[in-house]
Amino acid sequence: MEQTFIILKPSTINRSLVGDVITRFQRKGLIIAGIKMMQLDEKILREHYAHLVDRPFFPTLVKSMMATPVIVMVLRGKDVVSVVRSMVGATNCRNAAPGTIRGDFGMSGQENIVHASDSNENAAIEVARFFRPEEIFDYTPVTLPSLYAPDER
Ligand code: IDP
Ligand code: MG
Protein backbone atom coordinates (compact mmCIF):
# COMPACT_ATOMS: atom_id res chain seq x y z
CA MET A 1 0.00 0.00 0.00
CA GLU A 2 1.15 3.54 -0.73
CA GLN A 3 1.65 6.50 1.61
CA THR A 4 0.82 10.18 1.29
CA PHE A 5 1.80 13.24 3.29
CA ILE A 6 -0.75 15.68 4.75
CA ILE A 7 -0.44 19.03 6.54
CA LEU A 8 -3.38 20.37 8.52
CA LYS A 9 -2.57 24.04 7.90
CA PRO A 10 -2.84 26.90 10.43
CA SER A 11 -6.29 27.73 9.02
CA THR A 12 -7.45 24.31 10.25
CA ILE A 13 -5.85 24.76 13.68
CA ASN A 14 -7.20 28.30 14.12
CA ARG A 15 -10.70 27.31 13.04
CA SER A 16 -10.84 24.19 15.24
CA LEU A 17 -11.39 21.89 12.26
CA VAL A 18 -8.68 19.36 13.17
CA GLY A 19 -11.16 16.71 14.28
CA ASP A 20 -13.47 17.20 11.31
CA VAL A 21 -10.64 16.81 8.79
CA ILE A 22 -9.04 13.78 10.46
CA THR A 23 -12.48 12.16 10.82
CA ARG A 24 -12.96 12.39 7.04
CA PHE A 25 -9.71 10.55 6.39
CA GLN A 26 -10.52 7.89 9.00
CA ARG A 27 -14.07 7.35 7.78
CA LYS A 28 -12.72 6.82 4.28
CA GLY A 29 -10.70 3.90 5.61
CA LEU A 30 -7.24 5.46 5.41
CA ILE A 31 -4.69 4.24 7.94
CA ILE A 32 -2.83 6.84 10.04
CA ALA A 33 0.81 5.76 9.82
CA GLY A 34 2.23 8.89 11.47
CA ILE A 35 0.92 12.05 13.14
CA LYS A 36 2.50 14.91 15.10
CA MET A 37 2.35 18.67 15.75
CA MET A 38 5.23 20.88 14.69
CA GLN A 39 6.12 24.51 14.07
CA LEU A 40 7.21 25.08 10.47
CA ASP A 41 10.00 27.55 9.64
CA GLU A 42 11.06 29.36 6.49
CA LYS A 43 13.79 26.83 5.68
CA ILE A 44 11.47 23.83 5.47
CA LEU A 45 8.78 25.85 3.68
CA ARG A 46 11.25 26.98 1.00
CA GLU A 47 11.94 23.29 0.34
CA HIS A 48 8.32 22.15 0.59
CA TYR A 49 7.02 24.96 -1.65
CA ALA A 50 10.12 25.20 -3.90
CA HIS A 51 7.84 25.30 -6.96
CA LEU A 52 6.31 28.57 -5.67
CA VAL A 53 9.29 30.57 -4.35
CA ASP A 54 9.22 33.00 -7.28
CA ARG A 55 5.48 33.65 -7.09
CA PRO A 56 4.36 37.04 -5.73
CA PHE A 57 2.25 35.43 -3.01
CA PHE A 58 5.13 33.32 -1.63
CA PRO A 59 5.98 35.62 1.35
CA THR A 60 2.33 35.68 2.38
CA LEU A 61 2.08 31.91 2.02
CA VAL A 62 5.14 31.36 4.24
CA LYS A 63 3.78 33.72 6.89
CA SER A 64 0.43 31.95 6.78
CA MET A 65 2.03 28.50 7.13
CA MET A 66 4.00 29.66 10.21
CA ALA A 67 1.04 31.39 11.90
CA THR A 68 0.44 28.47 14.30
CA PRO A 69 1.95 25.01 14.68
CA VAL A 70 0.59 22.55 12.14
CA ILE A 71 -0.35 18.88 12.31
CA VAL A 72 1.48 16.65 9.86
CA MET A 73 0.27 13.18 8.96
CA VAL A 74 1.25 10.16 6.92
CA LEU A 75 -1.77 8.28 5.58
CA ARG A 76 -1.59 4.79 4.13
CA GLY A 77 -3.94 3.06 1.71
CA LYS A 78 -4.31 1.67 -1.77
CA ASP A 79 -3.84 4.44 -4.35
CA VAL A 80 -3.83 6.84 -1.38
CA VAL A 81 -2.18 9.78 -3.18
CA SER A 82 -4.91 10.11 -5.79
CA VAL A 83 -7.69 9.15 -3.34
CA VAL A 84 -6.65 11.91 -0.94
CA ARG A 85 -6.16 14.54 -3.65
CA SER A 86 -9.72 13.91 -4.83
CA MET A 87 -10.99 14.12 -1.23
CA VAL A 88 -9.13 17.44 -0.76
CA GLY A 89 -10.41 19.14 -3.93
CA ALA A 90 -9.21 22.08 -6.03
CA THR A 91 -6.54 24.42 -4.64
CA ASN A 92 -8.89 27.39 -4.28
CA CYS A 93 -11.64 26.48 -1.81
CA ARG A 94 -14.10 28.64 -3.74
CA ASN A 95 -13.60 26.42 -6.79
CA ALA A 96 -13.44 23.13 -4.88
CA ALA A 97 -16.47 20.89 -5.31
CA PRO A 98 -18.94 20.51 -2.44
CA GLY A 99 -18.17 17.26 -0.66
CA THR A 100 -14.43 17.84 -0.80
CA ILE A 101 -12.53 19.04 2.26
CA ARG A 102 -11.64 22.40 0.71
CA GLY A 103 -15.08 22.69 -0.85
CA ASP A 104 -16.82 22.12 2.47
CA PHE A 105 -14.54 23.88 4.95
CA GLY A 106 -13.01 26.94 3.29
CA MET A 107 -13.46 30.12 1.26
CA SER A 108 -9.83 30.95 0.39
CA GLY A 109 -7.18 30.06 -2.16
CA GLN A 110 -4.34 30.42 0.31
CA GLU A 111 -6.06 29.46 3.58
CA ASN A 112 -7.14 26.14 2.12
CA ILE A 113 -7.18 23.79 5.12
CA VAL A 114 -4.80 21.02 4.01
CA HIS A 115 -1.74 20.14 1.99
CA ALA A 116 -1.70 16.73 0.29
CA SER A 117 1.08 15.21 -1.83
CA ASP A 118 0.42 15.29 -5.57
CA SER A 119 2.39 12.16 -6.66
CA ASN A 120 3.91 9.03 -5.14
CA GLU A 121 7.36 10.46 -5.84
CA ASN A 122 6.64 13.71 -4.00
CA ALA A 123 4.90 11.83 -1.18
CA ALA A 124 8.11 9.88 -0.49
CA ILE A 125 10.17 13.10 -0.53
CA GLU A 126 7.71 14.92 1.74
CA VAL A 127 7.38 12.07 4.25
CA ALA A 128 11.18 11.97 4.54
CA ARG A 129 11.34 15.76 4.89
CA PHE A 130 8.89 15.97 7.80
CA PHE A 131 9.18 12.60 9.62
CA ARG A 132 11.97 10.51 11.06
CA PRO A 133 11.71 6.81 10.11
CA GLU A 134 10.84 5.78 13.68
CA GLU A 135 7.84 8.15 13.64
CA ILE A 136 6.15 6.10 10.90
CA PHE A 137 4.33 2.99 12.11
CA ASP A 138 3.72 -0.13 10.07
CA TYR A 139 0.76 -1.94 11.62
CA THR A 140 -2.34 -3.73 10.40
CA PRO A 141 -5.69 -2.49 11.72
CA VAL A 142 -8.07 -5.31 12.65
CA THR A 143 -10.58 -3.73 10.24
CA LEU A 144 -8.40 -4.42 7.18
CA PRO A 145 -10.52 -7.38 5.92
CA SER A 146 -13.54 -5.07 5.92
CA LEU A 147 -11.65 -2.31 4.11
CA TYR A 148 -10.14 -4.31 1.24
CA ALA A 149 -10.67 -7.56 -0.61
CA PRO A 150 -7.66 -9.91 -0.40
CA ASP A 151 -6.46 -9.02 -3.90
CA GLU A 152 -6.60 -5.28 -3.12
CA ARG A 153 -4.30 -5.30 -0.10
P1 IDP B 1 -2.06 22.45 -3.92
O1 IDP B 1 -1.95 22.75 -2.43
O2 IDP B 1 -3.50 22.28 -4.35
O3 IDP B 1 -1.18 21.31 -4.36
P2 IDP B 1 -0.10 24.30 -5.10
O4 IDP B 1 -0.22 24.91 -6.45
O5 IDP B 1 0.94 23.26 -4.87
O6 IDP B 1 -1.57 23.76 -4.72
O7 IDP B 1 0.11 25.51 -4.07
C1 IDP B 1 0.53 25.26 -2.76
C2 IDP B 1 -0.23 26.19 -1.84
O8 IDP B 1 0.12 27.55 -2.13
C3 IDP B 1 -1.74 26.15 -1.98
O9 IDP B 1 -2.31 25.05 -1.26
C4 IDP B 1 -2.16 27.48 -1.42
O10 IDP B 1 -2.13 27.49 0.00
C5 IDP B 1 -1.04 28.38 -1.93
N1 IDP B 1 -1.37 29.01 -3.21
C6 IDP B 1 -1.35 28.44 -4.45
N2 IDP B 1 -1.72 29.34 -5.39
C7 IDP B 1 -1.96 30.50 -4.72
C8 IDP B 1 -2.36 31.82 -5.15
O11 IDP B 1 -2.58 32.10 -6.33
N3 IDP B 1 -2.52 32.76 -4.15
C9 IDP B 1 -2.27 32.49 -2.84
N4 IDP B 1 -1.88 31.27 -2.40
C10 IDP B 1 -1.73 30.30 -3.33
MG1 MG C 1 0.91 21.24 -4.41
Side-chain angles (χ1 to χ4, degrees), residues 82-138:
S82 59
V83 166
V84 167
R85 287 286 288 195
S86 65
M87 289 177 73
V88 165
T91 301
N92 188 321
C93 295
R94 297 192 299 282
N95 300 329
T100 64
I101 291 169
R102 288 169 172 166
D104 285 354
F105 292 140
M107 280 296 288
S108 170
Q110 178 178 277
E111 305 301 327
N112 61 357
I113 312 298
V114 286
H115 163 81
S117 306
D118 61 6
S119 66
N120 284 327
E121 186 189 8
N122 281 336
I125 292 168
E126 292 171 358
V127 168
R129 178 178 293 136
F130 288 88
F131 282 88
R132 296 193 300 271
E134 64 269 26
E135 293 174 325
I136 311 289
F137 297 89
D138 189 7

Side-chain angles (χ1 to χ4, degrees), residues 29-40:
L30 304 178
I31 298 163
I32 299 176
I35 184 166
K36 64 180 178 180
M37 193 171 215
M38 65 188 292
Q39 175 64 50
L40 302 182

